[in-house]
Amino acid sequence: MIPLSFAQSRLWFLYRFEGPSVTYNQPVVLRLRADVDAGVMALAVRDVVLRHESLRTVIGEDERGVAFQRILSPQDVSIEVPTRAVTEEQVADAIAEAVAHRFALESEIPIRVSLLAVGPQEYVLVILMHHIAGDAASMAPLARDLTTAYVFRAQGQEPEWEPLPVQYADYTLWQQELLGELDDPESIAAAQVAYWRRELAGSPQPLTLPTDRQRPVHRSHRGETVEFAVTPELASGIEALARKHNATVPMVLQAAYAVLLSKLGAGDDVVMGSPIAGRTDEDLNDLIGFFVNNWVLRVDLSGDRSFEQVVDQVRDKALAAYDNQDVPFERLVELLNPERSTSYHPLFQVAFVWQSTIATPDTVVEMPGLEWSVVPTENQVAKFDLSLIMAEVGGEFRGYLEYALDVFDRGVAELLVGRFVRVLEQVVGVPGVLVRGVDVLGVGERSRVVEGWNGSGFVVGELLLSDVFEGWVARSPEAVAVVAGGESLTYRELDGRANALAFELIGCGVGPDVVVAVAAGRSVDLVVGLLAVVKAGGAYLPVDPRYSGARLEYVLADAGPLVVVTDRVTDGVLPAVGCRGCIWMMSGLWWSGRRRMRIGWGLCVLIIWRM
């Protein structure tokens, strides 16, 4: 039995976990200008399926549940190309319906082809392939072989092409042999895993992003895209900057993307993923198969770094990643064992993709008796929170931002695209600009924040926040005030808890101009803590427990809060610096006892807990 490749194993696991879905469907849609014969097209599709074993492979499992590749023999392959007459107005809906097919990978070959007859000598060919059988780089040989086979079959001949030197099954076996065993210190696998352990140790999970809503428990993978373009003048500047630093255009774009994410709240430790072709042998170039691998770029933006220094860093890390690209990402996740969640992708949640080209309606290929052009398809799937996909098209850089509908709305995605272009304009105009000097706000936005929201002429009422809240307590004491998870509090209950905690804070010395750090996840207790600080007259410092340890240490040391209000979970990740006391919030009834403990740096922490 032929084992699955590592990449196939990942998709097979997801398939068994989630069931058949459209998440990993890969469509290629061609506009054909010829008198297309559906029977001839079916023969051509069959020729391609017989040429590439990956297209006639289904997945089996042995009695132990171990998956393997089952390559169907030619006589077991049945190909049909259904034809459907549509009007021009119906084409988009018909394409959407065709690409929404859910493959049954254990019983169905991973490719389907259908034909839409739009008019005389006007057809649309919809090719749908599952990712387990091929990647983006497979689309070129797929389209080329299919059109070649069709031209020959239209003339009553079998296609003439050079035999493929290898098949995907050969690559799978070679992959297993090349990497070796992890327990062999001399193996490629051991050396490359050691590199990635060092590179990704302590990386933030998940990346902090300006989402429109809280992540769902389970990702739906629903997505949309926003298109954009970079002018030829700006593209020339990017290319010149890349040449100056012996880098590539994608490296400069990745550096700008990292700066943007940092400015939007991701912090100084930015992690993103990028695909790498994985076709390390020229014998694989014309093969349809799943070779692509993911590598992880971690960018350090701390300190007074210039953008040019960030480009140099990205270049060096990208080159190191190429030297350590053979370990499959799926295997890396298994070995590094980051915190797993069904709500976000492991190790990275944003991606950058540089494609050799992005299909446009202007892409036309002429062959004897057949002219075809690529029809761009709107992607409605998002594998990550954000994916920035770019390519060079006609002297300018075009791209689109793919965003997950679970956490983003279109308006924010459009803003992100505009901010990315704005970052590029600044760093190309002044490459030596410090990262902290890069501005992601537009003129109108800066005016709104500085003059509108913070203008000195804005009249502020005399009521305090605590007064406003207590007014609501008086008006609607039994109305629900806060909900988090499965817990909710009425205004009366919230007021009671906040008052009790406020008295404890006052007893610790909290009052006007005294800073209290509130470090907790999204919960009822978080609201209680913030409100209690206000009631005690102090100034609260919100601390996100998802920050890296270095970031938490810096924030607490810099602010020097008198007290930290936290919860049981967050207490375990907080560094022991920057405060003189700690009130520990736990689920249950209210405070009933206290104890003191010393934690390093000569600090005494006051922990008050509930029974």
Side-chain angles (χ1 to χ4, degrees):
M1 291 186 293
I2 302 171
L4 303 185
S5 69
F6 291 111
Q8 285 179 320
S9 296
R10 168 71 172 170
L11 290 193
W12 178 247
F13 170 80
L14 293 174
Y15 175 82
R16 294 299 301 268
F17 181 71
E18 299 175 354
S21 73
V22 301
T23 305
Y24 292 96
N25 281 0
Q26 298 192 115
V28 178
V29 182
L30 307 177
R31 172 78 69 157
L32 308 179
R33 295 173 180 84
D35 188 12
V36 179
D37 186 315
V40 173
M41 184 61 72
L43 289 175
V45 173
R46 179 180 173 83
D47 289 330
V48 176
V49 170
L50 297 187
R51 176 171 169 79
H52 297 273
E53 289 181 354
S54 60
L55 297 180
R56 51 188 169 96
T57 295
V58 296
I59 310 301
E61 287 187 345
D62 62 19
E63 63 279 358
R64 300 169 299 165
V66 177
F68 60 90
Q69 298 182 51
R70 186 163 64 89
I71 303 170
L72 301 183
S73 61
Q75 57 268 27
D76 291 331
V77 175
S78 177
I79 300 294
E80 294 183 358
V81 178
T83 304
R84 173 183 171 188
V86 297
T87 65
E88 190 65 52
E89 293 73 20
Q90 295 172 326
V91 168
D93 289 340
I95 292 174
E97 181 181 339
V99 302
H101 175 74
R102 298 169 184 259
F103 285 99
L105 297 178
E106 64 271 46
S107 59
E108 180 183 12
I109 62 172
I111 186 171
R112 288 169 59 91
V113 180
S114 56
L115 196 61
L116 305 176
V118 185
Q121 303 220 344
E122 192 76 20
Y123 291 82
V124 173
L125 184 69
V126 183
I127 307 169
L128 184 64
M129 181 172 63
H130 194 281
H131 201 7
I132 205 167
D135 49 27
S138 300
M139 297 308 174
L142 174 62
R144 183 176 61 247
D145 286 353
L146 182 58
T147 50
T148 298
Y150 182 84
V151 170
F152 274 95
R153 287 297 183 181
Q155 299 170 356
Q157 304 174 21
E158 292 189 2
E160 297 177 3
W161 42 36
E162 289 293 326
L164 293 171
V166 293
Q167 290 288 347
Y168 189 74
D170 300 316
Y171 160 78
T172 302
L173 297 173
W174 168 81
Q175 182 187 50
Q176 306 271 347
E177 181 180 351
L178 170 72
L179 291 177
E181 298 296 332
L182 282 171
D183 55 6
D184 178 5
E186 303 299 321
S187 70
I188 292 177
Q192 293 190 5
V193 168
Y195 166 80
W196 289 114
R197 285 190 191 277
R198 294 191 302 270
E199 177 64 17
L200 300 179
S203 59
Q205 293 294 316
L207 199 66
T208 304
L209 296 171
T211 58
D212 287 294
R213 61 191 67 87
Q214 189 176 1
R215 296 177 185 276
V217 176
H218 297 280
R219 290 179 294 159
S220 71
H221 296 292
R222 295 179 305 111
E224 290 182 354
T225 59
V226 174
E227 297 183 9
F228 68 99
V230 174
T231 64
E233 294 76 17
L234 184 53
S236 297
I238 295 169
E239 291 170 337
L241 182 57
R243 287 193 300 270
K244 177 182 177 182
H245 289 267
N246 293 319
T248 64
V249 166
M251 293 173 186
V252 175
L253 295 173
Q254 283 175 305
Y257 192 27
V259 170
L260 171 66
L261 294 170
S262 176
K263 291 289 183 177
L264 294 176
D268 296 333
D269 191 356
V270 177
V271 179
M272 71 179 73
S274 281
I276 193 166
R279 297 175 186 248
T280 54
D281 191 296
E282 63 180 12
D283 284 345
L284 305 177
N285 290 342
D286 294 327
L287 197 61
I288 297 173
F290 189 7
F291 302 98
V292 70
N293 195 15
N294 287 318
W295 67 281
V296 186
L297 171 65
R298 187 178 185 183
V299 186
D300 181 3
L301 297 166
S302 62
D304 275 345
R305 297 177 188 268
S306 69
F307 181 72
E308 289 185 306
Q309 289 175 317
V310 177
V311 172
D312 290 340
Q313 180 189 163
V314 170
R315 178 201 60 211
D316 294 343
K317 292 200 172 190
L319 294 175
Y322 280 112
D323 290 337
N324 294 276
Q325 65 171 289
D326 300 301
V327 174
F329 178 77
E330 296 75 22
R331 185 72 170 137
L332 198 60
V333 172
E334 178 184 342
L335 294 171
L336 298 184
N337 195 28
E339 179 180 340
R340 304 297 183 89
S341 172
T342 56
S343 67
Y344 56 84
H345 189 269
L347 292 183
F348 65 88
Q349 295 78 48
V350 299
F352 176 87
V353 181
W354 178 260
Q355 295 183 342
S356 57
T357 183
I358 291 179
T360 69
D362 304 326
T363 308
V364 178
V365 178
E366 294 187 15
M367 301 185 71
L370 183 65
E371 176 187 302
W372 58 269
S373 60
V374 177
V375 179
T377 55
E378 182 178 353
N379 187 22
Q380 295 185 330
V381 171
K383 298 181 179 69
F384 312 108
D385 291 347
L386 293 172
S387 296
L388 184 63
I389 298 98
M390 298 191 68
E392 183 178 2
V393 181
E396 66 178 9
F397 297 153
R398 295 188 190 179
Y400 58 90
L401 182 68
E402 177 185 284
Y403 60 96
L405 289 172
D406 288 337
V407 289
F408 290 107
D409 292 332
R410 187 172 190 84
V412 168
E414 291 172 343
L415 284 174
L416 291 177
V417 165
R419 297 190 203 284
F420 177 66
V421 174
R422 190 173 299 123
V423 169
L424 287 175
E425 291 170 343
Q426 293 175 70
V427 299
V428 168
V430 186
V433 64
L434 297 181
V435 170
R436 60 180 171 82
V438 176
D439 190 0
V440 298
L441 295 178
V443 176
E445 292 174 318
R446 177 163 295 281
S447 174
R448 187 183 315 129
V449 173
V450 175
E451 300 173 9
W453 294 345
N454 278 337
S456 58
F458 187 78
V459 178
V460 180
E462 296 182 358
L463 286 178
L464 300 176
L465 175 58
S466 56
D467 297 329
V468 175
F469 173 76
E470 287 168 3
W472 278 100
V473 174
R475 286 191 296 271
S476 306
E478 301 307 319
V480 174
V482 58
V483 177
E487 187 178 4
S488 66
L489 295 177
T490 64
Y491 280 99
R492 178 182 53 77
E493 292 169 332
L494 177 58
D495 187 51
R497 289 196 186 185
N499 285 339
L501 179 54
F503 286 129
E504 296 289 348
L505 291 172
I506 293 171
C508 292
V510 175
D513 299 324
V514 175
V515 177
V516 177
V518 180
R522 295 173 67 94
S523 64
V524 165
D525 279 340
L526 174 61
V527 180
V528 172
L530 296 175
L531 185 57
V533 176
V534 172
K535 283 174 171 283
Y540 64 76
L541 171 70
V543 177
D544 191 335
R546 296 174 297 178
Y547 285 164
S548 65
R551 177 67 175 170
L552 289 171
E553 184 172 334
Y554 172 80
V555 169
L556 292 175
D558 184 64
L562 174 70
V563 174
V564 173
V565 177
T566 187
D567 55 31
R568 179 193 294 271
V569 175
T570 307
D571 181 49
V573 302
L574 289 178
V577 298
C579 66
R580 285 160 289 184
C582 181
I583 291 183
W584 187 9
M585 299 166 58
M586 297 168 48
S587 59
L589 299 177
W590 204 244
W591 327 106
S592 63
R594 63 182 65 187
R595 64 189 176 91
R596 292 182 178 272
M597 59 179 294
R598 302 191 68 82
I599 56 170
W601 296 81
L603 298 176
C604 183
V605 174
L606 171 65
I607 299 178
I608 301 176
W609 71 94
R610 306 181 214 172
M611 298 299 291

